[in-house]
Amino acid sequence: LADRKRRAIDPTNVIVSQLIYDNRKDSNAKIVRTTAFKDICKNHVPANILTHHISEASESLAHAHSMRTSLAKQLALSSLLVYLFSASERTPSKMVLDLDKCCAFYDIDLAPKYILTSTGILESTDKLTVPFRLTRNICNFISPAGATGIFANTLHVAAACINETNNLSALEGYLDIFMRDDLVAWNLSRTTRDPSDERRLYRSKQLHSHIQSNVREMLRRLNKLAPTSSFVSSPVIDGEDYVSTTLNSNNKKDEYMELSADVGSSLKPKEPVPLDRFIHSLIAQATSSENLACMDATWIAYF
């Protein structure tokens, strides 16, 4: 609850947040921000600050390589939670590196992000400028090959393990409990209320409706990160949607329609789709200069 009180946002910031989101849609504002961002990156903040700092702390090339691999894997696991929770506003102050423990990575204050004007609906990924933090200095240290290799593979494998059919029932139960307590703490932190309100919130039908909606949304995102091989490799047959057979057989049309619209139209008959294609699209979104330029100044996107 104390953490939630620290994260409590004044209602007036709802208007500010909306203005920021509206400006992202304005082409002129985006051009100005992108130009300023590129100028900062070129003339003021180099992309190798983190690399030099960690290299000086490493004992050998082998040690530096081990730290690079370790950080890429830990960032992938962190990014998985960040994407599921819509918690992409990860400033450097919320990320800790322990160089004495082979670049051990710690997340601080990682919690779901809800729509400010709601009573607990998870923020849509469509309104997130970047899905997770993967800025210039991070990419420079783990290397481009590490970002599209170790980072992407770890993110996919972790999502696939969690998305196993045998694990889904247990996962849904844990998410229900986690989401219930977090929603109650979040609602209590927004205004000063009587302690008896906590008991009322736990019994609220609206709370349980939000829990079910948020859990379904997180499981849907998990499915997009780690789709099944039978779904992804289905070909286009006679001009029809390449996933139509799979969708009809497992009754998961709502979960897969967005991905099929994205990749299905460009496929040739019997052409397989990479299982981690969606993850690579998220990496491209997270590293885009245009998207990073639209982030808030406190996010320090140029670093």
Side-chain angles (χ1 to χ4, degrees), residues 144-208:
T148 57
I150 297 174
F151 179 88
N153 291 341
T154 303
L155 182 54
H156 176 261
V157 170
C161 290
I162 299 174
N163 202 32
E164 285 286 339
T165 305
N166 297 334
N167 299 333
L168 285 180
S169 58
L171 174 64
E172 189 171 357
Y174 281 117
L175 288 177
D176 282 339
I177 297 173
F178 170 79
M179 190 58 62
R180 180 198 63 182
D181 292 342
D182 195 70
L183 280 175
V184 170
W186 184 76
N187 278 284
L188 290 176
S189 68
R190 302 180 73 189
T191 58
T192 303
R193 299 180 179 179
D194 188 89
S196 61
D197 286 345
E198 183 174 356
R199 294 190 295 271
R200 181 183 58 78
L201 280 171
Y202 274 113
R203 294 193 297 266
S204 170
K205 292 183 179 180
Q206 187 181 43
L207 174 70
H208 291 286

Side-chain angles (χ1 to χ4, degrees), residues 7-284:
R7 293 197 303 272
I9 301 177
D10 190 274
T12 56
N13 284 345
V14 175
I15 301 175
V16 176
S17 299
Q18 187 61 44
L19 289 174
I20 292 173
Y21 180 65
D22 291 341
N23 287 334
R24 291 170 183 168
K25 299 179 181 179
D26 185 79
S27 58
N28 293 329
K30 181 174 285 189
I31 292 173
V32 172
R33 295 178 70 109
T34 303
T35 303
F37 173 80
K38 290 181 177 180
D39 179 71
I40 293 173
C41 294
K42 180 180 180 180
N43 301 317
H44 302 284
V45 182
N48 56 1
I49 296 176
L50 181 63
T51 303
H52 283 171
H53 177 67
I54 297 179
S55 297
E56 290 177 358
S58 60
E59 300 173 356
S60 61
L61 291 177
H63 187 213
H65 176 73
S66 177
M67 296 173 76
R68 178 180 293 109
T69 303
S70 174
L71 181 59
K73 293 179 179 179
Q74 292 175 88
L75 279 173
L77 297 178
S78 171
S79 299
L80 173 61
L81 294 178
V82 168
Y83 177 70
L84 294 181
F85 292 162
S86 298
S88 61
E89 296 182 357
R90 306 298 297 162
T91 59
S93 61
K94 296 180 180 180
M95 307 168 72
V96 177
L97 287 178
D98 189 348
L99 300 183
D100 293 333
K101 296 183 179 180
C102 197
C103 216
F105 177 81
Y106 302 97
D107 267 313
I108 298 176
D109 200 17
L110 176 60
K113 180 183 178 182
Y114 305 108
I115 299 175
L116 296 178
T117 55
S118 73
T119 55
I121 298 296
L122 203 62
E123 184 77 71
S124 171
T125 53
D126 295 334
K127 288 193 175 184
L128 298 178
T129 308
V130 294
F132 38 73
R133 187 178 185 92
L134 199 60
T135 51
R136 301 164 57 244
N137 271 269
I138 295 177
C139 287
N140 184 275
F141 175 64
I142 66 176
S143 76
T148 57
I150 297 174
F151 179 88
N153 291 341
T154 303
L155 182 54
H156 176 261
V157 170
C161 290
I162 299 174
N163 202 32
E164 285 286 339
T165 305
N166 297 334
N167 299 333
L168 285 180
S169 58
L171 174 64
E172 189 171 357
Y174 281 117
L175 288 177
D176 282 339
I177 297 173
F178 170 79
M179 190 58 62
R180 180 198 63 182
D181 292 342
D182 195 70
L183 280 175
V184 170
W186 184 76
N187 278 284
L188 290 176
S189 68
R190 302 180 73 189
T191 58
T192 303
R193 299 180 179 179
D194 188 89
S196 61
D197 286 345
E198 183 174 356
R199 294 190 295 271
R200 181 183 58 78
L201 280 171
Y202 274 113
R203 294 193 297 266
S204 170
K205 292 183 179 180
Q206 187 181 43
L207 174 70
H208 291 286
S209 175
H210 289 343
I211 291 172
Q212 294 175 2
S213 175
N214 291 341
V215 170
R216 283 197 302 268
E217 173 62 18
M218 285 190 284
L219 293 178
R220 186 187 69 84
R221 296 177 188 181
L222 197 60
N223 278 323
K224 293 179 71 174
L225 290 172
T228 60
S229 58
S230 59
F231 156 69
V232 175
S233 59
S234 301
V236 177
I237 302 175
D238 297 330
E240 295 181 359
D241 184 19
Y242 80 111
V243 296
S244 58
T245 304
T246 305
L247 296 181
N248 293 332
S249 63
N250 59 17
N251 296 320
K252 293 185 178 180
K253 185 173 182 179
D254 292 338
E255 296 179 7
Y256 298 124
M257 187 54 67
E258 291 186 22
L259 185 58
S260 66
D262 178 46
V263 298
S265 59
S266 61
L267 294 180
K268 299 176 181 179
K270 298 183 180 180
E271 180 180 351
V273 182
L275 285 171
D276 59 354
R277 177 164 182 166
F278 181 71
I279 293 176
H280 284 283
S281 70
L282 292 181
I283 294 175

